[in-house]
Amino acid sequence: MNKHWLMCRLAAAWLAFAMLLAPASALCESSEEPAPSTPEMVASLEDELPRLFDFYDVMGGCVAVFQNGEVTYVYTWGERQRGGDPVTPECAFQVGSISKMVANIGLMQLLETQNIPLDTDISQILGYTVRHPEYPDEPITLRQVMTHTAALADSSYYDVALSGKPRPLQAMLTGPIAEANFLKGQKPGQKSVYSNFGGGLIACFIEKLSGQTLDDYMTEHVFAPLGITASYQPARMPESIPLCDMYQMPARRLTKALREDPTHITEPDPEHHYFLTAGKLVISAPDLCKLLIALCDGGVYGDVRLLKESTAREILTLQNDLGSVFCDSGRGLFLNIIEDNQVAGRTMYGHGGKANGMLCAAYFDPTDRTGVVMLTNGCRNEPVRYGVGMLGYRTLTAVYELWLDQEHQEIDAFTVQ
C-alpha cells in the first residue's frame, strides 16, 4: 500500500501559505520546516483514511487534496487489479458521472466561442426539431439538459446504446420510440430528474459544434493545456498510464477490465456517441484536481484559462428558476451542490460517480480554494448521504475536519506575486 505522494512539497506549501508571497509554482523550492502541528494533522488524516477504506472494503483508491490552486497531498490504497500492483498517484480510474462535469467544461468553451446562450433550443444545435411528445410546443434547452430538467428518461433504448448498439439520436428524440425516452407527464423545465441520457448528449453537442471527436476536442482544448492525460475511451490511454480495473466488493469480482473496453472512435458522429460522456471518463485523481481547480478559481488553472470567469461562475450558480428552468433544480450546470453545511459546515460543489462497483467523489469549496478528489475501483458503495456515497461523504468530512479546517491558510489568487 502506498500512502504518500508530494509530501516533499508539503513543507514548502505551508511556508508559502504563511508568507502569502510565493507563487504556487514555487511551493516545492523551499527547505523550511512546516509548522509543528502540520505533520500531526496529516498523521490524523492518515490514521482515518485507511480505517475508512478498510471499513468500506475498498479494492483500490486514491485521495488527492488541493489548496490555493495546487495539489498538496495524495494518499493511495490497495490494488489496481486483484492480486496485482499497488495503486500509485499516476493510476487512472473510470470516474462514472464525474464525466459529465468534466465534459461540460468543453461544451461551455464552445458555447462561449460561438456565442450560444444557455437557453438555446437544442434543436438549433442538432439540426432537427426535438420536443417532448406530450408537449410539442415547449422547446428543450441547453440549460434544461444541464440541470436534468429536460424530462429525458434513461430508457431501455439508452441501455442498449451503452451495450454498444446505439440507435441514431434523431430516432431516439423524434421517431416512434421518442415517447419512451421522455418522462411521462413531465413538462420540460418543471422538475429535476437525473438523466444519464441527458449527460450523454454533451458528447453529441461537442461533436456537432466542433467537428471533432469528443476525445480529440477534450484533449486539444481541455486536457493537454493543463498537462492532463485522460480519455473517454480507455483504449486511448497510453500504456505507460496504469489503469485500475473495476470490482464488485467485498466479493472482489471483476466487473470491468478497462483496457478491454471495445470503444474505438476515430471520427465524429454526434448521432451515435451519446453513450460516452455520462460516465466513461478515465483520469487520475491529481489530474482531476486540476479541472476542479479551474472551476474553483474562475476558469483558470495556473497560467491557463479554460473558461471566462463569468462562465465558470455560471456553472456554480444554483439553477433555480433561472432562464428556461422553472423549478428548484438544486444544481449548477452539470454540477451538484451540497448545501446546508452538510460537509464540515461548508457548501460543496462538484460531482460523484458510481458504477460497476466503484464509488468516486470530486468536490471543492471556492470560498477558501480547497477541494478533495476520492477515486476507487471498487468498494461497498451503496450507503448514500446528501446524494454522495457514504465513503465519499466521510472522506470529504475527514479531510476538512482533520486537516484543512485546522491548518489551511487561504491565498487570494489575485494578490500572489
Side-chain angles (χ1 to χ4, degrees):
M1 178 194 311
N2 297 312
K3 292 186 177 179
H4 303 277
W5 186 65
L6 292 177
M7 292 300 290
C8 63
R9 299 173 63 184
L10 194 54
W14 288 115
L15 177 65
F17 299 156
M19 294 174 63
L20 298 181
L21 289 174
S25 61
L27 293 181
C28 58
E29 297 176 0
S30 171
S31 61
E32 295 289 333
E33 292 296 321
S37 59
T38 298
E40 297 173 5
M41 299 303 168
V42 174
S44 296
L45 182 61
E46 291 196 338
D47 284 340
E48 180 66 5
L49 289 178
R51 189 183 73 80
L52 286 174
F53 279 31
D54 182 63
F55 181 82
Y56 285 100
D57 295 311
V58 176
M59 178 74 177
C62 187
V63 176
V65 180
F66 73 81
Q67 304 167 80
N68 298 323
E70 285 285 321
V71 178
T72 56
Y73 174 75
V74 177
Y75 170 91
T76 58
W77 164 279
E79 300 170 322
R80 305 173 197 170
Q81 292 88 25
R82 186 175 54 210
D85 293 328
V87 173
T88 62
E90 297 78 19
C91 288
F93 296 73
Q94 193 160 79
V95 298
S97 288
I98 294 171
S99 305
K100 301 177 179 71
M101 176 177 67
V102 172
N104 198 46
I105 294 173
L107 177 55
M108 294 298 284
Q109 282 183 339
L110 288 163
L111 300 186
E112 274 187 359
T113 58
Q114 299 184 28
N115 296 313
I116 299 174
L118 286 173
D119 294 306
T120 296
D121 185 340
I122 65 172
S123 305
Q124 297 180 32
I125 296 174
L126 295 176
Y128 44 83
T129 301
V130 178
R131 293 289 186 268
H132 189 313
E134 296 178 37
Y135 304 97
D137 297 327
E138 296 294 328
I140 295 171
T141 70
L142 288 167
R143 193 191 301 270
Q144 290 169 354
V145 174
M146 292 178 181
T147 55
H148 298 282
T149 62
L152 292 167
D154 294 341
S155 70
S156 60
Y157 297 103
Y158 177 70
D159 293 338
V160 170
L162 294 179
S163 70
K165 298 178 181 179
R167 293 171 181 254
L169 183 62
Q170 186 169 1
M172 294 282 283
L173 295 175
T174 69
I177 65 171
E179 184 177 356
N181 296 306
F182 287 92
L183 297 170
K184 293 185 181 300
Q186 183 170 315
K187 187 176 180 180
Q190 298 292 338
K191 185 178 180 181
S192 182
V193 178
Y194 196 86
S195 170
N196 283 306
F197 181 31
L201 294 185
I202 306 172
C204 305
F205 297 150
I206 287 176
E207 293 194 353
K208 195 75 175 180
L209 293 172
S210 71
Q212 295 179 271
T213 67
L214 168 70
D215 269 310
D216 286 346
Y217 180 86
M218 292 297 293
T219 297
E220 180 179 348
H221 296 277
V222 179
F223 299 150
L226 302 190
I228 289 172
T229 301
S231 179
Y232 285 84
Q233 300 180 74
R236 281 181 53 130
M237 293 292 284
E239 290 291 335
S240 59
I241 303 294
L243 304 187
C244 295
D245 292 338
M246 305 169 80
Y247 289 84
Q248 190 72 46
M249 299 296 287
R252 295 168 65 88
R253 178 177 62 84
L254 178 68
T255 56
K256 185 173 183 181
L258 294 191
R259 291 209 181 272
E260 295 177 12
D261 189 306
T263 309
H264 182 70
I265 292 170
T266 59
E267 298 294 332
D269 183 359
E271 279 296 293
H272 291 92
H273 291 167
Y274 53 88
F275 61 92
L276 291 171
T277 47
K280 290 179 69 71
L281 178 66
V282 178
I283 192 170
S284 72
D287 277 351
L288 184 52
C289 276
K290 296 177 183 179
L291 295 163
L292 290 193
I293 289 168
L295 291 173
C296 181
D297 284 2
V300 173
Y301 173 79
D303 60 357
V304 177
R305 177 167 288 282
L306 290 181
L307 297 166
K308 294 178 181 178
E309 183 174 356
S310 59
T311 301
R313 298 307 175 208
E314 185 66 30
I315 293 173
L316 272 60
T317 298
L318 189 62
Q319 301 288 312
N320 291 351
D321 295 302
L322 291 180
S324 53
V325 173
F326 309 108
C327 64
D328 289 353
S329 77
R331 295 183 168 91
L333 301 175
F334 280 122
L335 186 98
N336 293 340
I337 301 175
I338 307 175
E339 293 189 289
D340 302 325
N341 303 319
Q342 300 296 352
V343 176
R346 296 168 177 263
T347 294
M348 302 294 293
Y349 301 79
H351 217 294
K354 186 163 80 90
N356 297 310
M358 70 76 171
L359 183 74
C360 298
Y363 282 87
F364 60 94
D365 182 353
T367 65
D368 66 354
R369 304 178 64 217
T370 59
V372 181
V373 168
M374 182 208 77
L375 306 182
T376 77
N377 62 345
C379 66
R380 284 194 293 114
N381 66 5
E382 289 305 321
V384 174
R385 186 173 186 179
Y386 309 118
V388 182
M390 186 59 75
L391 173 62
Y393 170 80
R394 294 185 68 179
T395 298
L396 291 170
T397 301
V399 172
Y400 275 99
E401 290 186 348
L402 296 178
W403 182 16
L404 295 182
D405 284 350
Q406 305 297 320
E407 289 294 329
H408 174 70
Q409 299 179 42
E410 181 184 357
I411 299 176
D412 186 334
F414 299 100
T415 61
V416 177
Q417 297 299 312

